[in-house]
Amino acid sequence: MSFSSNSSDPKSQIMDQIRQEAAVNNARALISKVNGHCFDKCVPSPGTSLSGREERCLSACMEKYIATWNLVSRTYIAQVQKSAGQAGGGAVMDGLGV
């Protein structure tokens, strides 16, 4: 996903940078939440390695969590775009999802 603008307008460049930073922050938040939630759920007694069951649980948990995160992000962005359209326009928020 690219956020670079074709314009050399400083305002556009700053907005692109803000979008990129927001996307990175969202990705970091997602990883942190997935790690905390899924590890707590799937690894009741941490040891030196993960069992096959723990690995499968972590994999399934992460896939579900990320799918849910993406659904919520798309729904939120659609709602913001709808609200912006009803309010007479405005900036569309891109890059909020992962």
Side-chain angles (χ1 to χ4, degrees), residues 67-93:
T68 302
W69 177 283
N70 286 332
L71 174 64
V72 169
S73 294
R74 284 190 305 269
T75 303
Y76 174 74
I77 290 169
Q79 186 63 39
V80 167
Q81 290 173 337
K82 182 179 175 184
S83 295
Q86 291 175 348
V92 175
M93 300 175 70

Side-chain angles (χ1 to χ4, degrees), residues 35-91:
N35 284 340
H37 175 78
C38 294
F39 191 83
D40 290 346
K41 177 184 174 196
C42 296
V43 186
S45 302
T48 57
S49 64
L50 296 174
S51 70
R53 180 180 170 276
E54 290 169 335
E55 287 181 13
R56 287 188 302 277
C57 179
L58 283 168
S59 179
C61 180
M62 289 180 189
E63 287 177 15
K64 288 177 186 176
Y65 201 92
I66 290 170
T68 302
W69 177 283
N70 286 332
L71 174 64
V72 169
S73 294
R74 284 190 305 269
T75 303
Y76 174 74
I77 290 169
Q79 186 63 39
V80 167
Q81 290 173 337
K82 182 179 175 184
S83 295
Q86 291 175 348

Side-chain angles (χ1 to χ4, degrees), residues 1-20:
M1 175 181 321
S2 176
F3 297 103
S4 61
S5 68
N6 295 333
S7 172
S8 61
D9 177 28
K11 183 178 178 181
S12 295
Q13 292 174 351
I14 291 170
M15 291 301 294
D16 288 344
Q17 183 176 357
I18 289 170
R19 286 185 191 102
Q20 290 173 349

